[in-house]
Amino acid sequence: MFSRILEAWDRSRTARRTEGGRDGKAGGGSRSHNLFEAAAAYVAACVDDDQDRIDEAAGRVSPEALSFGVNELACRAVIALARERDEPPGTVARALLGLPAV
């Protein structure tokens, strides 16, 4: 997952530099986006398999911040599902990944 984030971030960074050069801007834009917004957009784009949106979301924050945000989103999603299903988080996580119950 982290390598996919790095690849998307690198593509997005390259695209921003190219666009910034055409617009006469140096640096290619602000890096002050909310990491949780970027993580939510990234995960939603991955679900839809939309490479343009994946690249755009990955370019909003650093790869490390995006990785942290995706991890936090996964934790919160598993907790919410576990509460909804009245099951332990470990059981829900394994079921989501298609792993056998322990």
Side-chain angles (χ1 to χ4, degrees):
M1 171 67 94
F2 192 69
S3 63
R4 188 170 176 184
I5 291 170
L6 283 173
E7 290 169 11
W9 184 71
D10 202 31
R11 281 192 301 273
S12 176
R13 207 170 90 194
T14 301
R16 278 198 321 267
R17 276 193 206 131
T18 304
E19 290 170 9
R22 276 187 267 146
D23 296 339
K25 297 178 199 166
S30 171
R31 305 274 301 163
S32 63
H33 294 282
N34 182 308
L35 72 97
F36 295 117
E37 289 176 358
Y42 180 83
V43 170
C46 287
V47 169
D48 293 337
D49 200 25
D50 184 333
Q51 191 61 51
D52 291 336
R53 286 178 35 224
I54 290 170
D55 293 344
E56 192 277 326
R60 293 182 192 177
V61 295
S62 72
E64 297 83 7
L66 184 59
S67 179
F68 174 80
V70 169
N71 183 62
E72 186 66 23
L73 177 61
C75 290
R76 292 179 186 196
V78 167
I79 289 169
L81 281 172
R83 287 178 181 158
E84 184 179 294
R85 296 177 182 182
D86 197 27
E87 295 178 354
T91 301
V92 172
R94 293 184 67 80
L96 288 172
L97 292 171
L99 298 172
V102 287

